Amino acid sequence: MSEILCQWLNRELKVSRTVSPKSFAKAFSNGYLIGEVLYKFELQSDFAEFSESRGSTAKLNNFSRLEPTLHLLGVQFDQNVAQSIITEKPGAATKLLYQLYIALQKKKKTGLTGLEIQTMQPQTNLRLQTLKSEAFRERLKNLIPRQTDFNLMRVTYRFQEKCKQMKEDLARIHFEKFEKFQKLEEEQRHFNIEKQRLNRRRQNEIMAKIQAAIIQIPKPEPNRTLKALEAQKLMKKKKEAEDVANEIKKFEALIKKDLQAKESASKASLETTDQTATDLLNTYSDDDYIKKIQKRLEEDAFAREQREKRRRRLLMDQLIAHEAQEEAYREEQLIHRLMRQSQQERRIAVQLMHVRHEKEVLWQNRIFREKQYEERRLKDFQDALDREAALAKQAKIDFAEQTLREKETHEKIAVERAQARFEKHYGICAEILDQILDLCTKVADYRLLTDNLIPHKMMHDWKELFFSGKPIYEQASLKNGITEPTEEHLIELDKRNLLDKNDYEEYKNMVGEWALPEDMANSSPPSNNHILGHVLQRLIEKSNPSQDDATETELPSYAVKGCFLGKTLSGKTTVLKYLQKEFSIRVLSIDSLVNEAIRAFNDNEQASGLRPVRRENKGEPRLDPREISKIQDPNALSVPAVSGKATPKKEDVMTDEDEYLKPSDSFLNLSLRAQLGAKSEQLLKKGKSVPDILLVNIMVNAIKEIPANESWVIDGFPMTLNQAQLLEEALTGYQKKFMEAEKKKAQMPTLALGPTLSKEVTPIPSAFDFAILLDISDNLSLDRMNDIIAKELSHEISHENIAQQEVSTCQERDGDNNLRDQIHHRIVGFLDNWPLLEEWFTEPQNILTKINAEIDEGALCQRVKEFFANEIANKKLKVEKILEEKEAEKKAAASGAEAPTTRPPLPSEAEKDKEMHLHRETSKLSPGKGKTPSVSPKGKTPGGKIPVKKSPAGSVETSPTPTAPPPPKPGSEEWVYVTEPIPEELPSFLLPYWELIEKSYINHIKTVLRYLRDNQHTILSYLYDTRTNFQEFLRRPDHKQDFVAQWQADFNSVPEDLWEDEETKAELHQRVNDLRDRLWDICDARKEEAEQERVDIINESWLQDSVGIIMNHFFSLMQAEVNRFQDTKRLLQDYYRAMESKIPLEDSKKFTRIPLIQVDSRDISENQLRIPLVPRISISPENVAIKPKLKALLKGKIDPTLEGLESNFEVDEKIVMDTWQQASLTISHMVAAEVHQRLIEEEKELPPMDSKEKSPQSGANKKAKKEKEAPKKKKAEKKGKGKSSPVAEVSPITVSPEELAEMERRNELKLRIKEEHLAALQMEEAATQFRLELIKTKALAVLEDLVTKVVDVYKFMEKWLGQRYLNEMASIEKLTEVARYYIETSTKIQNEIYLSQEDFYINGDIKVFPDAVPPTRPPPVEKEEDGTLTIEQLDSLRDQFLDMAPKGIIGNKAFTDILLDLVTLNLGTNNFPSSWMHLTQPDLQEITSLLTVNSEFVDWRKFLMVTAMPWPIPLEEELLETLQRFKALDEAQTGTITFEQYKQAGLWFTGDEDVKIPENPLEPLPFNRQEHLIEFFFRLFADCEKDPPQLDYTQMLLYFACHPDTMEGVYRALSVAVGTHIFRRVETPVLIADKTSISTVSPNEEFPEAEDMTREERELKGEKDERDQKEEEIPDNANPEKISMETLLKVFGGGSEVLDANRFASYLKIENIYAENFIKTFQDLGAKNLEPVEVNLLLKHPYIQDLIANYLDYKIPDIKMILQRSDHAQGSDGERSPSRLTEEKK
């Protein structure tokens, strides 16, 4: 039964797991497969909740869900059955599956689903079943142990099994010991027995000798004693033996005589009769028989002779033995008589021999005992060896299992890491894809808003957001106040800041949207103000002086420093040991250093001096004795935070702070290494890891102890990025310098750069010269660890010095065990930390080198050695290069010290020393030369010695000497900036002031640009809404359709008799005219409303407000530029006045405010205004003449409604120009006022200076006079009275040359300060003027673009309005034409006329009055054609034959009688066509003979199939394809299908004929015969006794395998039976039969009606020809399929069948006459048990070939030929002429 169930589950249901009878109970123990079976029958809808696990929870879940379904099917199932299945009780699962199989088969017959079955149950049963299911689940839960209990039981069972196994092993060991002990005892016992036996034998021998020594005189023996009797018997036997021997000798002599006589006679006869014997032998052929007889006789004689010889030999041996016995007896008697001794002598001899024997026994026992001791010692030693070998073997097994588990663990970790990487990658890709979709949808939205014209700025912003990973769509609104910012608000703030930054960069650099327009392309943008940058740079340097790095005088070392990194067991230590042998280097291992530090603390290592530890390198963490106690906290050291991230503090650090060692005098006296070891030991004792800062300090302390010129390499450290950064900071101090550089960089101004870029911090050389990664794979690391442990196991097996090795290798074993436990964590930790470490060693200075460590150890060491030697050479070259550079710098400094002596403005020595002392720190930051070109100031003389008194607008004068080089301009590369001392407090308030300037300027610009960006989105949305709203307004509903519907109703209501009346037509035309006028009025009114709506939209104030807001934004940009200029001017003024030691001026003037546009019309008092407002006046279009430029904007005819827009645009353009001019003039006035202030101060200081300078030796007064005469009149008027006052004459005063030089230096200094100050102002003025002009140009462009967009929208509105009006008028005209057409044709309008807005059409789907009812078409009727039976006649014959012979077989005589009865006029009028009515009895007998099977019976199904022709005769390929379709639908492989499946599969032809529908509705449709034939064939061959009827499709296709060619039909039937093509073998008789069959099928010449060959016959002939061609190329391995006996009987005769029980049937059995021959054929082919044989072998059998050639059941009988012959014989009375046939058809 289990095999049947397994076949059902595996083949039919195809469950997910293959089930075998052996594993049946286990496979169904968890209930999953039972649920899968029910799910395949659509009974278990919750199969997705089932679990394949074998845990108790999964089993409880599965069986709880199975219980309701099984009860629904009626299967007996309770908690006992479930427990039996779960516990895998034999037969429980099989029984349940068998019941389930029966129930499912019943369910399959009903065809109901689980839901339908459940619905059919009463409601009370459902509730009761629910309660039962819950109770079942609780009871089953109690019966099934929990998974934890089960796991515990399983663990307990495993341990019990292990304990049992151990007990069995112990018992086996004890039993083996006991057996060995018993064996030893048995051997000892046998030894003792053998020893006793030998002793007894010796004693017996001695006693025998003693007894033999006793001489006894024998008494005379009487005759009647036993010995006498025995002697007599012996003599008697001897005598008898002698007599027998004599008789034998006589007998042998007689035999010898006879043999000699015979031999002589035979020799004589052979010579005389040789030829005669030969002839006789040849004649009778008996020579062999005679020779055998002779040979037998010779063998018998030889055997007899040998027996006699053996008998004689035996007798002789017995005689010799008897004689020897007698001789021995005589000798013994003689010895007994010779030996005569006394009794005492024998006793003494016995005692002596006994004593000697006892001594030997004692000696043997001692030897044996010593042997036992030696064997016991050897046995114990061997047992110890065996025990160790067993333990080693078990250890190896455990090691192999542990290795396998470790590999599995590593693979699991690798899979998890790969999965994590995949999830991370997938998340990134999904996020990018979402952003791409957002970008696409955003672009699509704005294409809709902007009519496919997206602004470049928007697209650029979206790309920036996309590239930066920010969401493009708004996540949260930032307009309202944010009380608690959420994540969405933070994202929006980041987006806004990013866009603001990009907009500001574009504005600052004048690119993108702020690129220079065409009219400004010729003017170059302003250059950087180097003077202002120099001022700010000097203030920054003054406030934050940098440490002088030049104090470092250390010489570079030739020592090479590096580190070796890699995974665990990558070979670092091995390679370093090799390098240590080859080179003089120090290897530092962090593990050994920590151990040494702890050992130093335990050894109480004292410091050499009681001084705090000092750092040799900058940035190294200080470690004073007072701070040692703070090291307990891993983050307590004053090491700056790495990478801007504070090291997280552990929570338990502070709680343990009191437990640490408190610094005492003895502790502070310890060495630094001992102190660090103390902290490490205390942390390790508490089970904590040593923090990174402590490890780094231990490493740094060890490095400091190494001499400067000795190379060192670190083994496996640093392991994390934090350790690398701490070590780098401790050795180089990079973090402190990096933070200082970042701080300076943050303080550097962004709006003005210095003449030279700030000296960036050069990359500090790394603490390492190289870093080597020994790269190995994870698997190799595990393999090396396993090799180490395996090697240790092999060493443990050896027996040499076991006791000594246990002590020495104990620690190594512990270390290896720890390594095995931590290997996975170390590998994972390295993989996690290595990417950051690789980036650390690669980015600043690429010192990382990767070496493949998977090669041989020697090759690896050699490769590392070459690399290290190369590094030593490179370090030597690098150090020599640095020394050469230092020497060159010293020489350059020495030569540069002499160069300043040649400069013209020489200060005094004291002044020079003072300046050098004051400016020592700033000398590096302010060199004498700039790097960028500067704009030359206006109105300045190039001379550097003469004070400038001319206005900035003055012309430039050249030096009188043309050969002299021109003096440098301020801000140029040659200009030497003035670095006079400034007050110490000046940077403290100027720097914050400049930071405030920068911050306010940048924030102001960003805010305005953000508003402009948002305003652009608002404008696009408003214009789109305006367009869509106006289009919706144009599409608003009208009431034209109501008037049209009313007119149509009135038109159709006119009586039909008035349609032709002319007055009626005139009246209808008038109504059409009235309707048209009314519709025209509606269109005109709607047009006026649309025009008014457009005017209202144009007259809205949105455009004016938007333009005003945009103008205010650009005015705000101008205000920001003006504010920046004012603040910069004030800063420069304060700085240069402080350099001149003057008091800063108090600027009483207020900051300039650029007026804004007043958007609303509210009146605001002047006191409330902080910013002046300009009222915006709209100019009426009547008062303004449009300029050509504005006409160009209109692009066509001037629209009166748009003239106001253009006029307002001109006014706005004028306001922008005025505001720009005002801002520009304000800046120019500020510069002029500053220059004027300078001139006033110079004039005030001029008189005393002139009196002191009147010296005949100096020519400076002449130059000063020339300078006074040069200024322009405009500046002279501004000077006032100060300039026109006369200079008082002073008597000449003698001045010393030193004082004169000092005065010249001061004048020169003031002149340079003035030039530098004015040049800075002029540069700033030029930059501001350029920015203002750019803002003005941009503002005009934006306004013009906005007005253009709005005008385009208004023009589109006008275009849409006009186009819609024209379309509506055209639709009204079409309506009028249609109405007039119907009036003139006098027909009603049945379909609805639809007129709405601009659409007009006649709706064919809606009719205003119903159509006339069409006449019903009669059903199709089949007509008789050419004697073909109709479907109705075929069904009638089938019903009659089915009633008479349900099995399909009927006798031939009975069949002829039935046909004769049916064709008579009174009975068969409706059963046959008229052409059949003329058939006579011989014709019917001929038809019966064609259909006869086995000469006695007729298959009436074949008769109906033939009479149903014409139908397409199938090809063999079509039959096989149809068979495959049937098998595909037959899922249960029962061999039968239902009618629905039959229709789904179809036959080789379809009923979809092109039926031509007649135009006349009263004419019936043509009859589709093929479609009805398909259904008839199912009724013909199906078994109607079953419900529903079942069709044996193979049997049906065997009927259709019939063919006009006999052999072809048989091969087609075999192909159908086997299911594949059967190759036909070509033979000559077959070809003759083919010709005969074809000739029989072909029409006769006597019947001209059959001259045309039908399509079927042509197809069959073509198929035959094609098959003949294929038969020529039969492959060698053709038809390897196997065919069974049943299939063969089905093809040839169908086996034994019982005839139908009716009046025509005989009650005999039809026996298959081929069965016996088939059995013999199968046995001939080797199938003894009638198993299936291959088809190709079967077809080669002669019987099968003969049967195929002569089998006629698969030949299609030609009944048409008989019908045609009968019609021809009837003549003109029975013949149907074509004319009559045509009339009948009509």
Side-chain angles (χ1 to χ4, degrees), residues 740-809:
E740 289 180 359
E742 290 293 329
K743 186 177 180 182
K744 286 184 179 180
K745 187 176 180 181
Q747 290 182 349
M748 292 304 294
T750 59
L751 298 179
L753 301 177
T756 58
L757 297 176
S758 59
K759 185 173 70 175
E760 297 185 8
V761 179
T762 57
I764 301 172
S766 175
F768 301 107
D769 295 324
F770 66 89
I772 294 179
L773 171 68
L774 299 180
D775 193 10
I776 61 171
S777 61
D778 300 344
N779 293 328
L780 184 59
S781 180
L782 293 174
D783 293 341
R784 289 183 178 180
M785 186 267 296
N786 296 330
D787 293 341
I788 292 174
I789 299 177
K791 192 178 295 184
E792 290 179 0
L793 290 176
S794 64
H795 284 307
E796 289 178 2
I797 295 172
S798 62
H799 308 288
E800 298 177 359
N801 301 327
I802 297 176
Q804 297 177 2
Q805 287 183 0
E806 284 183 357
V807 179
S808 61
T809 60

Side-chain angles (χ1 to χ4, degrees), residues 563 1102 1152 1167 1703:
C563 63
W1102 175 84
T1152 303
N1167 296 328
R1703 61 187 180 90

